[in-house]
Amino acid sequence: MYSSLIITNNIHSWVLSWMPAAATGIIEMIMIALAYLTLFAVLGLFLVLMERKVAAWFQLRIGPNRVGFFGMFQTIADALKLLSKELTGTDKADKFLYNLAPYFLIISSLMALAVFPFSKNLQAFDINIGIFFLIAISSIGVIGILLGGWSSNNKFALIGAMRSGVQTISYELSVGLSLLTMILLTGSLQLSEIIEVQKSGWLIVQGHIPAVIAFMIYMIAGTAETNRAPFDMVEAESELGAGFHTEYSGMKFAYFFLAEFINMFIIAAIGTTVFFGGWLSPFGITESIPWLGVFWFMIKTFALVFLMMWFRWTFPRLRVDQLLTLEWKYLLPINLFNIVLMAIIIWLNFTIQF
């Protein structure tokens, strides 16, 4: 069982030294929440900067280069700008739902981050239904998009929200089925146990051709889940202005913007955990140096994030009919066939061994 016992025991002893035992649990939960909020903010700012640098590299531009060394503080400046901007809205908007919508995306992203094992001893919440939990939590985010688009009382925002509902419901099937293919191989939904299985080899290697097919489908469907190009029909600047968040400004817009990048990290982190061994080193030395696991987890995750950014600056945007055709006529049937193929491979291995 992987857990954060080493870290939490040290923190627990330190908090007990100056706080009554009854309040210790509350203080520790607040500290963990603050740590994850900090991680959320830092990851978001870094990923925005990475997106701009990667875009500039693909388009033979320089990218951010004025604020800080090689533009490293550009996203911090942008965040301060958004903090200081006036919060505007429409008079006919549903104020309660309009203000509530961004928090659905932020909270769902934060809850998803909590279950990832960043290393052997660094995981906030290890549950035996980890993959199921991630799929369920990621589905909540679309509620925020639907509420934001509908409550804005703007036709472009409403069209973007409706597209989001159709797109998310469609591509969730492929994300879930591709992960289910790998769950057949591991026999567990718990993320720590999935990583334990991969000590003898990454699942993308253990699972043979079905694992490779599952990974390819997962990355395509995961990119669509995050509403990123070439699947960004939800925002579609050339058609809808900004889509579902057209009427948002300031920090409320920043919440939507930040959640998109964090969701991209979450999709990549799930792919790292399920297909590429999570925090395990390719050279088998992770356990001897505990914090090396965090390094390997981040390297693998950012490699998949880079792949998703590569998609954006390589392929043109799909039409709505092409978007749905890809899922229902191609990805879904391939996924169903792939699950059967994986089951057959597992059964054959079982009969050979026993």
Side-chain angles (χ1 to χ4, degrees):
M1 171 72 75
Y2 298 123
S3 66
S4 54
L5 287 176
I6 294 175
I7 297 173
T8 54
N9 285 342
N10 292 334
I11 294 174
H12 183 70
S13 301
W14 175 68
V15 174
L16 274 178
S17 65
W18 57 276
M19 284 290 294
T24 300
I26 297 173
I27 296 298
E28 289 173 356
M29 285 190 285
I30 293 173
M31 292 171 68
I32 293 171
L34 290 174
Y36 271 88
L37 282 170
T38 304
L39 174 67
F40 189 95
V42 171
L43 273 178
L45 293 175
F46 177 78
L47 287 169
V48 173
L49 179 64
M50 181 178 171
E51 173 83 277
R52 293 179 178 180
K53 289 291 187 182
V54 169
W57 181 59
F58 272 100
Q59 298 171 349
L60 300 179
R61 296 185 289 107
I62 297 175
N65 64 341
R66 297 301 179 94
V67 184
F69 182 70
F70 284 103
M72 295 301 290
F73 300 130
Q74 181 63 56
T75 51
I76 296 176
D78 291 340
L80 293 174
K81 178 197 74 172
L82 288 171
L83 277 169
S84 61
K85 287 187 73 172
E86 180 184 1
L87 296 175
T88 60
T90 57
D91 292 335
K92 295 183 179 180
D94 186 315
K95 299 298 184 184
F96 176 73
L97 296 180
Y98 176 83
N99 293 322
L100 179 66
Y103 295 99
F104 274 94
L105 277 79
I106 294 293
I107 292 171
S108 64
S109 300
L110 273 171
M111 291 176 70
L113 282 177
V115 300
F116 286 116
F118 291 97
S119 74
K120 181 176 182 178
N121 296 308
L122 188 60
Q123 184 176 8
F125 191 40
D126 188 18
I127 54 176
N128 59 359
I129 55 168
I131 294 293
F132 180 77
F133 177 83
L134 285 170
I135 294 172
I137 287 298
S138 63
S139 303
I140 295 176
V142 72
I143 297 176
I145 295 175
L146 289 169
L147 287 180
W150 181 82
S151 64
S152 296
N153 196 33
N154 179 297
K155 63 181 178 182
F156 298 114
L158 180 59
I159 292 171
M162 292 171 66
R163 285 182 177 182
S164 175
V166 171
Q167 183 170 321
T168 304
I169 291 170
S170 298
Y171 281 87
E172 269 182 357
L173 290 171
S174 285
V175 169
L177 289 174
S178 59
L179 293 176
L180 181 60
T181 305
M182 307 311 295
I183 291 166
L184 285 175
L185 189 61
T186 61
S188 174
L189 291 166
Q190 191 166 351
L191 296 178
S192 58
E193 291 186 3
I194 290 173
I195 293 176
E196 180 73 23
V197 170
Q198 298 180 75
K199 285 189 174 181
S200 58
W202 293 350
L203 287 183
I204 198 166
V205 178
Q206 291 188 46
H208 307 294
I209 293 176
V212 176
I213 295 173
F215 172 70
M216 294 171 64
I217 293 174
Y218 173 78
M219 289 305 299
I220 294 170
T223 304
E225 275 278 285
T226 54
N227 300 322
R228 289 184 56 82
F231 306 102
D232 59 337
M233 299 304 301
V234 178
E235 299 177 28
E237 294 90 347
S238 58
E239 306 167 29
L240 305 179
F244 65 94
H245 54 66
T246 299
E247 296 293 347
Y248 284 88
S249 66
M251 274 310 295
K252 291 177 183 176
F253 165 77
Y255 287 157
F256 284 115
F257 190 64
L258 196 60
E260 176 185 323
F261 284 91
I262 297 298
N263 288 335
M264 182 168 57
F265 178 85
I266 289 168
I267 291 293
I270 296 172
T272 295
T273 304
V274 174
F275 295 95
F276 295 102
W279 52 265
L280 293 173
S281 165
F283 311 108
I285 58 173
T286 308
E287 298 213 26
S288 60
I289 309 174
W291 287 100
L292 195 58
V294 178
F295 169 78
W296 284 115
F297 184 88
M298 288 298 183
I299 286 293
K300 296 173 188 177
T301 302
F302 282 118
L304 295 184
V305 168
F306 174 76
L307 182 62
M308 295 173 74
M309 292 179 178
W310 194 343
F311 290 163
R312 175 171 185 174
W313 303 109
T314 303
F315 300 106
R317 178 185 296 137
L318 300 177
R319 297 196 311 264
V320 175
D321 61 313
Q322 293 172 331
L323 183 82
L324 297 178
T325 297
L326 176 64
E327 165 60 17
W328 294 102
K329 289 188 177 180
Y330 296 98
L331 295 186
L332 185 59
I334 293 171
N335 238 328
L336 293 172
F337 172 78
N338 198 42
I339 290 177
V340 175
L341 183 60
M342 178 65 85
I344 292 171
I345 288 175
I346 294 169
W347 177 74
L348 287 175
N349 286 341
F350 180 84
T351 55
I352 290 170
Q353 293 173 7
F354 297 97

